[in-house]
């Protein structure tokens, strides 16, 4: 998802600059900022997924220890 989002942003920026080359310098900062925010969001989502996965596996491991299965 991260790669796809970055590619989409890059493609849109390229299309805008192709239409109006004077946008290049002014849009660089905004592009970098957006790519950074996308990265931060993806990292948080990944951390959340890992925490949920670990919690689910911990519950499963405890069930096995208790002989529930």
């Amino acid at each position: 998802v991260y790669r796809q989002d970055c590619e989409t942003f890059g493609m849109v920026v390229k299309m805008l600059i192709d239409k109006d080359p004077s946008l290049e310098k002014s849009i660089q900062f905004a592009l970098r900022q957006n790519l950074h925010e996308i990265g931060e969001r993806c990292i948080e989502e990944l951390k959340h997924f890992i925490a949920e996965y670990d919690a689910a596996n911990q519950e499963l491991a405890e069930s096995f220890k208790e002989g529930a299965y």
Side-chain angles (χ1 to χ4, degrees):
V1 171
Y2 172 72
R3 180 178 175 183
Q4 187 177 22
D5 284 353
C6 289
E7 287 174 352
T8 299
F9 266 83
M11 182 174 50
V12 169
V13 167
K14 183 180 179 328
M15 289 169 50
L16 290 171
I17 292 171
D18 285 347
K19 296 286 183 189
D20 185 354
S22 69
L23 292 173
E24 187 171 3
K25 288 187 181 196
S26 62
I27 208 167
Q28 276 183 342
F29 176 76
L31 175 62
R32 286 185 183 150
Q33 190 174 21
N34 278 294
L35 293 177
H36 179 75
E37 290 171 6
I38 290 169
E40 293 285 322
R41 186 193 73 218
C42 289
I43 289 169
E44 288 305 312
E45 289 176 10
L46 185 57
K47 286 179 181 178
H48 181 73
F49 171 79
I50 291 170
E52 285 182 346
Y53 180 85
D54 287 347
N57 283 326
Q58 183 66 30
E59 291 172 10
L60 184 61
E62 289 173 5
S63 294
F64 277 118
K65 286 179 186 176
E66 296 169 0
Y69 290 94

